[in-house]
Amino acid sequence: MKVLCYGIQEAEKPIFEQNNKNYNFNLSFTNELLNDENVNKVKGYDALILFVNCDASADNLKKIKELGIKYIVTRTAGFNHIDLKTAKELNYVIGRVPGYSPTAIASLAFNGGLSLLRRTSYIYEQTRQGNFKIDSNMFAKETKNCTIGILGTGKIGYETAKMWKALDAKIIAYDPYPNEAAKSFLSYTTFDEVIAKSDLISIHMPYFKGENDDVINDEVIKKMKKGTILVNAARSELVSLPAVIKAIKANHLEGYATDVFPHESEIINHDFKDKFPSNLKLIEELIALYPKTLISPHVAYFTDEAIKNMSEISFENLKQLQTTGTCDNRID
């Protein structure tokens, strides 16, 4: 089977190739993401492994079908980049990766939050510029004197909370479906109480379109303590960027660390050091608030263990689709 894998970085190729020894697929790699302009490049392949921000729209899926693609899987847990209604109409059964190394995402969220809390980004930037003066912006509150709020205690939120607990922080959390294992080191409470009492809030809840868009908005941020730090390693749609920018400029929020942001398909793998396009001015404005904002390019997944999980599960999904017409990780 000839398989085209999207969004592949050089560091990922050896892991994909190693795990492919058990399947013997004919793999091709591209750093590109599926879009309107490159969809015709799928011709000659049997299967596609999609990645986040691949545009599997209705039109692109129809073209893919016409060009002879038999199987489609995505190496992501989320699948809002795929028009499932059209996929079903075209008789595609789509496989996904329901979970991969939660510590990969948790560790980046933790590091972003800790960097803002301990002021390390600011400190290192000053000395990088040759400035060794100590100033009040370097003054930090220790984690053992902080309350960390976790919104969503699934696998990733659970691992993030454990990391903060290792530094002796007090952990409170909100989740409509409490994690019994987490109760040994955190206290569940209401969403409003997490918002009002936390020194740092780490977001790990799922996104449901039309239901919890901008769950962190102007009104919610106003209820946070002055100096609160916000971390988002979940979905960009959960947080209102204009509200965050406004709150940081007003010195109400101390900082914002995020691995997700709007217009990702237009941003990932692009270099805007010369000039941002006009429709991305909001991202440029957010970046300009550094060191109070830390933005990473949706890279939380980028660890050896996570890529190992992604490739193994994707290959198994393809094998099952080829042999049975369905797979254990099908999207229904």
Coordinates of all heavy atoms in Angstrom, one line a residue, residues 20-60:
N20 N 7.2 1.2 10.8 CA 6.6 0.6 9.6 C 7.2 -0.8 9.3 O 6.6 -1.5 8.5 CB 6.9 1.5 8.4 CG 6.2 1.1 7.2 OD1 5.0 0.7 7.2 ND2 6.9 1.1 6.1
K21 N 8.2 -1.2 10.0 CA 8.8 -2.5 9.8 C 7.8 -3.6 10.0 O 7.9 -4.7 9.5 CB 10.1 -2.7 10.6 CG 11.2 -1.8 10.1 CD 12.5 -2.0 11.0 CE 13.6 -1.1 10.5 NZ 14.8 -1.3 11.3
N22 N 6.8 -3.4 10.9 CA 5.8 -4.4 11.2 C 4.7 -4.4 10.2 O 3.8 -5.2 10.3 CB 5.3 -4.1 12.6 CG 6.3 -4.3 13.7 OD1 7.2 -5.2 13.6 ND2 6.3 -3.5 14.7
Y23 N 4.7 -3.4 9.3 CA 3.5 -3.3 8.4 C 4.0 -3.3 6.9 O 3.2 -3.7 6.0 CB 2.8 -2.0 8.7 CG 2.2 -1.9 10.0 CD1 2.9 -1.5 11.1 CD2 0.9 -2.5 10.3 CE1 2.3 -1.5 12.4 CE2 0.3 -2.5 11.5 CZ 1.1 -2.0 12.6 OH 0.5 -2.0 13.9
N24 N 5.2 -2.8 6.7 CA 5.7 -2.8 5.3 C 4.9 -2.0 4.3 O 4.8 -2.4 3.1 CB 5.9 -4.3 4.8 CG 6.9 -4.4 3.7 OD1 7.9 -3.6 3.6 ND2 6.7 -5.3 2.8
F25 N 4.4 -0.9 4.7 CA 3.8 0.1 3.8 C 4.8 0.8 3.0 O 6.0 0.9 3.4 CB 2.9 1.1 4.6 CG 1.8 0.5 5.3 CD1 1.5 0.9 6.7 CD2 0.9 -0.3 4.7 CE1 0.4 0.4 7.3 CE2 -0.2 -0.8 5.4 CZ -0.4 -0.5 6.7
N26 N 4.5 1.3 1.8 CA 5.3 2.1 1.0 C 5.1 3.5 1.4 O 4.1 4.1 0.9 CB 5.1 1.8 -0.5 CG 6.0 2.6 -1.4 OD1 6.8 3.3 -0.9 ND2 5.9 2.4 -2.7
L27 N 5.9 4.1 2.3 CA 5.7 5.4 2.8 C 6.3 6.5 2.0 O 7.4 6.4 1.5 CB 6.2 5.5 4.2 CG 5.6 4.5 5.3 CD1 6.3 4.8 6.6 CD2 4.1 4.6 5.4
S28 N 5.6 7.6 1.9 CA 6.1 8.9 1.4 C 5.8 10.0 2.4 O 4.7 10.0 3.0 CB 5.5 9.3 0.0 OG 5.9 8.3 -1.0
F29 N 6.7 10.9 2.5 CA 6.6 12.0 3.5 C 6.5 13.3 2.9 O 7.2 13.6 1.9 CB 7.7 11.9 4.6 CG 7.9 10.6 5.3 CD1 9.0 9.8 5.0 CD2 6.9 10.1 6.1 CE1 9.2 8.6 5.7 CE2 7.1 8.9 6.8 CZ 8.2 8.2 6.6
T30 N 5.7 14.2 3.4 CA 5.7 15.6 3.0 C 5.5 16.5 4.2 O 4.8 16.1 5.2 CB 4.6 15.9 2.0 OG1 4.6 17.3 1.7 CG2 3.2 15.6 2.5
N31 N 6.2 17.6 4.2 CA 6.1 18.6 5.3 C 4.8 19.4 5.1 O 4.4 20.1 6.0 CB 7.3 19.5 5.3 CG 7.3 20.5 6.5 OD1 7.2 21.7 6.2 ND2 7.3 20.0 7.7
E32 N 4.2 19.3 3.9 CA 3.0 20.1 3.6 C 1.8 19.6 4.4 O 1.8 18.4 4.8 CB 2.7 20.1 2.1 CG 3.8 20.8 1.3 CD 3.4 20.7 -0.2 OE1 2.6 19.9 -0.6 OE2 4.0 21.5 -1.0
L33 N 0.8 20.4 4.5 CA -0.5 20.0 5.0 C -1.5 20.0 3.8 O -1.4 20.8 2.9 CB -1.0 21.0 6.0 CG -0.1 21.1 7.3 CD1 -0.6 22.2 8.2 CD2 0.0 19.8 8.0
L34 N -2.4 19.1 3.8 CA -3.4 19.0 2.7 C -4.1 20.3 2.6 O -4.7 20.8 3.6 CB -4.3 17.8 3.0 CG -5.5 17.7 1.9 CD1 -4.9 17.2 0.6 CD2 -6.5 16.7 2.5
N35 N -4.2 20.8 1.3 CA -5.0 22.0 1.1 C -5.5 22.0 -0.4 O -5.3 21.1 -1.1 CB -4.2 23.3 1.4 CG -2.9 23.4 0.6 OD1 -2.9 23.1 -0.6 ND2 -1.8 23.7 1.3
D36 N -6.2 23.1 -0.7 CA -6.8 23.2 -2.1 C -5.7 23.1 -3.2 O -6.0 22.6 -4.3 CB -7.6 24.5 -2.2 CG -8.8 24.5 -1.3 OD1 -9.2 23.5 -0.7 OD2 -9.3 25.6 -1.0
E37 N -4.6 23.7 -2.9 CA -3.5 23.8 -3.9 C -2.7 22.5 -4.1 O -2.2 22.3 -5.2 CB -2.6 25.0 -3.5 CG -3.3 26.3 -3.4 CD -2.3 27.4 -2.9 OE1 -1.2 27.1 -2.7 OE2 -2.8 28.6 -2.9
N38 N -2.6 21.7 -3.1 CA -1.8 20.5 -3.3 C -2.6 19.2 -3.3 O -2.0 18.1 -3.3 CB -0.7 20.4 -2.2 CG -1.2 20.3 -0.8 OD1 -2.4 19.8 -0.6 ND2 -0.5 20.7 0.2
V39 N -3.9 19.3 -3.3 CA -4.7 18.0 -3.2 C -4.4 17.1 -4.4 O -4.5 15.9 -4.2 CB -6.2 18.4 -3.1 CG1 -6.7 19.1 -4.4 CG2 -7.0 17.2 -2.8
N40 N -4.1 17.6 -5.5 CA -3.9 16.8 -6.7 C -2.6 15.9 -6.5 O -2.5 14.9 -7.3 CB -3.7 17.6 -8.0 CG -5.1 18.2 -8.4 OD1 -6.1 17.5 -8.3 ND2 -5.1 19.4 -8.9
K41 N -1.8 16.2 -5.6 CA -0.5 15.4 -5.4 C -0.8 14.1 -4.8 O 0.1 13.2 -4.6 CB 0.4 16.2 -4.5 CG 1.0 17.4 -5.1 CD 2.0 18.1 -4.2 CE 2.6 19.4 -4.8 NZ 3.5 20.1 -3.9
V42 N -2.1 13.8 -4.4 CA -2.4 12.5 -3.8 C -2.5 11.4 -4.9 O -2.6 10.2 -4.5 CB -3.7 12.6 -3.0 CG1 -3.7 13.7 -1.9 CG2 -5.0 12.7 -3.8
K43 N -2.6 11.8 -6.1 CA -2.7 10.9 -7.2 C -1.6 9.8 -7.2 O -0.4 10.2 -7.0 CB -2.7 11.6 -8.5 CG -3.1 10.7 -9.7 CD -3.2 11.4 -11.0 CE -3.5 10.5 -12.2 NZ -3.6 11.3 -13.5
G44 N -2.0 8.6 -7.3 CA -1.0 7.5 -7.3 C -0.8 6.8 -5.9 O -0.1 5.8 -5.8
Y45 N -1.4 7.4 -4.9 CA -1.4 6.8 -3.5 C -2.6 6.0 -3.3 O -3.7 6.2 -3.9 CB -1.1 7.9 -2.5 CG 0.2 8.5 -2.6 CD1 0.4 9.7 -3.2 CD2 1.3 7.9 -1.9 CE1 1.7 10.3 -3.3 CE2 2.6 8.5 -2.0 CZ 2.7 9.7 -2.7 OH 4.0 10.2 -2.8
D46 N -2.5 5.1 -2.3 CA -3.7 4.3 -1.8 C -4.3 4.9 -0.6 O -5.5 4.7 -0.3 CB -3.3 2.9 -1.6 CG -2.6 2.2 -2.8 OD1 -3.3 2.1 -3.8 OD2 -1.4 1.8 -2.7
A47 N -3.5 5.5 0.3 CA -3.9 5.9 1.6 C -3.2 7.2 2.0 O -2.1 7.5 1.5 CB -3.7 4.9 2.6
L48 N -3.9 8.0 2.9 CA -3.4 9.2 3.4 C -3.4 9.2 4.9 O -4.3 8.7 5.5 CB -4.3 10.4 3.0 CG -4.5 10.6 1.5 CD1 -5.4 11.8 1.3 CD2 -3.2 10.8 0.7
I49 N -2.3 9.7 5.5 CA -2.3 9.9 6.9 C -2.3 11.4 7.1 O -1.3 12.1 6.8 CB -1.0 9.3 7.6 CG1 -1.1 7.8 7.5 CG2 -1.0 9.7 9.1 CD1 0.1 7.0 8.1
L50 N -3.4 12.0 7.6 CA -3.5 13.4 7.7 C -3.0 13.9 9.1 O -2.7 13.1 10.0 CB -5.0 13.8 7.7 CG -5.8 13.4 6.4 CD1 -7.3 13.8 6.6 CD2 -5.2 13.9 5.2
F51 N -2.8 15.2 9.2 CA -2.3 15.8 10.4 C -3.2 17.0 10.7 O -4.0 17.4 9.9 CB -0.8 16.2 10.3 CG -0.2 16.5 11.6 CD1 -0.4 15.8 12.7 CD2 0.7 17.6 11.6 CE1 0.2 16.1 13.9 CE2 1.3 18.0 12.8 CZ 1.1 17.2 14.0
V52 N -3.0 17.6 11.9 CA -3.7 18.7 12.3 C -3.6 19.8 11.3 O -2.6 20.1 10.7 CB -3.3 19.2 13.7 CG1 -1.8 19.7 13.7 CG2 -4.2 20.3 14.3
N53 N -4.7 20.5 11.0 CA -4.8 21.6 10.0 C -4.8 21.2 8.6 O -4.7 22.0 7.7 CB -3.7 22.7 10.3 CG -4.0 23.4 11.6 OD1 -5.1 23.8 11.9 ND2 -2.9 23.5 12.4
C54 N -4.7 19.8 8.3 CA -5.0 19.4 7.0 C -6.4 19.7 6.6 O -7.3 19.5 7.4 CB -4.8 17.9 6.8 SG -3.0 17.4 6.7
D55 N -6.6 20.2 5.4 CA -8.0 20.7 5.0 C -8.7 19.6 4.3 O -8.7 19.5 3.0 CB -7.9 21.9 4.2 CG -9.2 22.5 3.8 OD1 -10.2 22.1 4.4 OD2 -9.3 23.4 2.9
A56 N -9.3 18.7 5.0 CA -10.1 17.6 4.4 C -11.5 18.1 4.3 O -12.5 17.5 4.9 CB -10.0 16.3 5.2
S57 N -11.7 19.1 3.5 CA -13.0 19.7 3.3 C -13.8 18.8 2.3 O -13.3 17.9 1.8 CB -12.9 21.1 2.6 OG -12.2 21.0 1.4
A58 N -15.1 19.2 2.1 CA -16.0 18.4 1.2 C -15.4 18.4 -0.2 O -15.3 17.3 -0.8 CB -17.4 19.0 1.2
D59 N -14.9 19.5 -0.7 CA -14.4 19.6 -2.0 C -13.1 18.8 -2.1 O -12.9 18.0 -3.1 CB -14.1 21.0 -2.4 CG -15.4 21.8 -2.7 OD1 -16.4 21.1 -2.9 OD2 -15.3 23.0 -2.8
N60 N -12.2 18.9 -1.1 CA -11.0 18.1 -1.2 C -11.2 16.6 -1.1 O -10.5 15.8 -1.7 CB -10.0 18.6 -0.1 CG -9.4 20.0 -0.5 OD1 -9.4 20.3 -1.6 ND2 -8.8 20.6 0.5

